[in-house]
Amino acid sequence: MMDNCVFCNIIKGDIPTKKIYENENFFSIPDAKPIVEGHSLVISKKHFKTSLDLPNSLGTELLDCIKKTSLKL
């Protein structure tokens, strides 16, 4: 985790949010300033500099979080 990362601060609970969906490695939250209804963020529970740094092994869980978030919305 990184102290200056807003997403790491959300994970630590320093920034309160309402979770839409959560699995072992990801969770989703409503966007603070949504552009359209349902605009949400899917966040990794581990810090990665970019999405390209995510290991392929997390792809299924990422897709699960995206799908379950969409279904809940």
Side-chain angles (χ1 to χ4, degrees), residues 15-34:
I15 300 173
T17 60
K18 177 188 170 206
K19 291 182 182 173
I20 300 168
Y21 177 77
E22 181 174 15
N23 61 27
E24 187 177 334
N25 288 296
F26 298 92
F27 65 95
S28 58
I29 60 171
D31 190 88
K33 296 180 182 179

Side-chain angles (χ1 to χ4, degrees), residues 56-73:
N56 291 342
S57 61
L58 293 180
T60 302
E61 268 188 86
L62 173 60
L63 192 54
D64 168 72
C65 191
I66 294 168
K67 286 181 174 183
K68 298 276 175 58
T69 299
S70 297
L71 291 171
K72 282 193 163 201
L73 296 173

Side-chain angles (χ1 to χ4, degrees), residues 1-53:
M1 297 225 179
M2 299 187 68
D3 290 335
N4 61 344
C5 173
V6 67
F7 301 114
C8 289
N9 288 320
I10 291 170
I11 293 164
K12 291 188 295 189
D14 294 344
I15 300 173
T17 60
K18 177 188 170 206
K19 291 182 182 173
I20 300 168
Y21 177 77
E22 181 174 15
N23 61 27
E24 187 177 334
N25 288 296
F26 298 92
F27 65 95
S28 58
I29 60 171
D31 190 88
K33 296 180 182 179
I35 295 172
V36 296
E37 185 178 342
H39 185 176
S40 306
L41 303 174
V42 174
I43 302 169
S44 171
K45 292 181 181 180
K46 297 175 187 164
H47 182 88
F48 295 101
K49 188 172 182 178
T50 73
S51 59
L52 296 174
D53 296 324

